[in-house]
């Protein structure tokens, strides 16, 4: 039998999908939030495809940030790369030092309007949590396991891919989860530079003083964040259980 939290997640998912596919069904609920004759449901594009494009932007930026951040963590946890730890920390902190709006302002003159400046901002903003968690995961491995791997004659590469990364994976996934949740919300500002995200809905609502539009954009992003957060948290638990077998 599904637990109450699981039933809640399934309900949120079902309502979200229904709203994205048939938003007109929810018009009576949203009508009291708008002025007379104003549209209650976003009508300047497909909410479904805006959501798909929003998720695609977050996915691409997160994959890129994961590859770079985990690679840096691997390098600085090797004996030959330990001296680069301070430099690596400085690099991944750039995204947290500069607000995403500032990154967009700097990237638009170089790359133009569209998705690219948003990807750069999300990439930089997502590096720190993934890097720090990967670093923690790789530096807190059980010494007995590492000694056993060396005693079995494993090479450094074999230890990394067969022992270190699998054991550190739950902690790395925690960093990815944090990065994704941050990026889901931050991606909305990409619409200020013509990126196709759910920020379009919020901006349209602000420009027309339409509270229903603002609410729709915010609730969709919030629902996505809750569902993806829980899904990644479930993956963490699954891999953590495998790591302890």
């Amino acid at each position: 039998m599904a637990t109450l939290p699981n039933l809640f997640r399934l309900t949120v998912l079902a309502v979200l999908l229904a709203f994205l596919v048939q938003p007109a069904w929810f018009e009576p609920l949203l009508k009291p939030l708008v002025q007379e004759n104003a549209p209650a449901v976003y009508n300047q594009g497909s909410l479904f495809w805006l959501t798909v494009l929003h998720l695609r932007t977050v996915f691409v930026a997160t994959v890129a940030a994961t590859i770079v951040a985990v690679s840096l963590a691997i390098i600085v946890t090797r004996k030959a790369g330990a001296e680069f730890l301070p430099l690596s920390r400085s690099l991944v902190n750039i995204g947290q030092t500069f607000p995403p709006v500032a990154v967009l302002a700097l990237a638009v003159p170089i790359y133009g309007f569209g998705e690219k400046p948003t990807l750069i901002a999300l990439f930089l903003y997502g590096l720190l949590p993934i890097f720090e968690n990967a670093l923690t995961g790789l530096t807190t491995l059980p010494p007995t396991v590492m000694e056993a791997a060396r005693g079995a004659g494993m090479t450094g590469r074999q230890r990394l891919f067969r022992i270190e990364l699998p054991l550190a994976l739950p902690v790395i996934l925690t960093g990815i989860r944090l990065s994704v949740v941050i990026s889901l919300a931050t991606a909305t500002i990409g619409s200020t530079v013509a990126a196709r995200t759910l920020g379009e809905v919020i901006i349209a609502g602000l420009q027309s003083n339409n509270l229903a539009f603002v609410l729709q954009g915010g609730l969709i992003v919030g629902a996505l964040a809750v569902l993806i957060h829980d899904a990644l948290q479930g993956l963490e638990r699954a891999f953590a259980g495998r790591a302890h077998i």
Side-chain angles (χ1 to χ4, degrees):
M1 181 180 293
T3 63
L4 183 59
N6 286 336
L7 286 173
F8 174 74
R9 295 183 191 106
L10 289 173
T11 301
V12 171
L13 178 60
V15 172
L16 176 62
L17 289 174
F19 182 72
L20 293 177
V21 176
Q22 291 291 343
W25 292 351
F26 299 82
E27 187 171 0
L29 295 174
L30 298 167
K31 201 68 177 174
L33 300 175
V34 299
Q35 300 173 359
E36 189 176 356
N37 298 323
V41 175
Y42 183 70
N43 59 354
Q44 299 174 27
S46 167
L47 284 172
F48 177 81
W49 283 112
L50 278 179
T51 302
V52 171
L53 293 172
H54 189 102
L55 290 173
R56 184 190 69 177
T57 300
V58 171
F59 175 79
V60 172
T62 302
V63 169
T66 300
I67 291 171
V68 172
V70 174
S71 298
L72 282 174
I74 291 172
I75 290 170
V76 299
T77 53
R78 307 304 100 177
K79 189 176 294 186
E83 62 184 295
F84 295 106
L85 177 57
L87 175 61
S88 298
R89 274 215 165 101
S90 298
L91 289 174
V92 299
N93 270 293
I94 289 176
Q96 303 293 325
T97 304
F98 289 93
V101 174
V103 176
L104 290 177
L106 292 172
V108 166
I110 301 172
Y111 297 101
F113 289 91
E115 189 179 29
K116 286 183 180 179
T118 307
L119 287 172
I120 294 169
L122 296 182
F123 166 76
L124 292 175
Y125 215 56
L127 284 173
L128 182 61
I130 302 174
F131 174 79
E132 290 295 344
N133 278 65
L135 189 63
T136 300
L138 291 170
T139 54
T140 57
L141 298 171
T144 54
V145 174
M146 298 307 297
E147 286 299 325
R150 291 189 187 94
M154 284 188 177
T155 64
R157 182 182 294 272
Q158 288 173 330
R159 290 197 302 273
L160 174 63
F161 289 103
R162 295 184 186 180
I163 306 296
E164 296 180 55
L165 286 177
L167 288 176
L169 187 56
V171 183
I172 295 172
L173 281 173
T174 300
I176 294 172
R177 171 166 55 85
L178 294 172
S179 179
V180 168
V181 171
I182 292 170
S183 294
L184 280 168
T186 307
T188 56
I189 67 169
S191 292
T192 61
V193 293
R196 301 299 308 277
T197 74
L198 289 164
E200 284 188 20
V201 185
I202 298 172
I203 292 172
L206 292 173
Q207 290 177 337
S208 60
N209 196 28
N210 189 320
L211 181 59
F213 284 6
V214 176
L215 188 64
Q216 286 164 59
L219 287 178
I220 293 172
V221 172
L224 290 172
V226 169
L227 293 170
I228 293 174
H229 175 279
D230 282 359
L232 291 174
Q233 200 168 50
L235 274 179
E236 290 169 39
R237 288 193 293 264
F239 282 112
R242 288 179 57 184
H244 287 91
I245 293 177

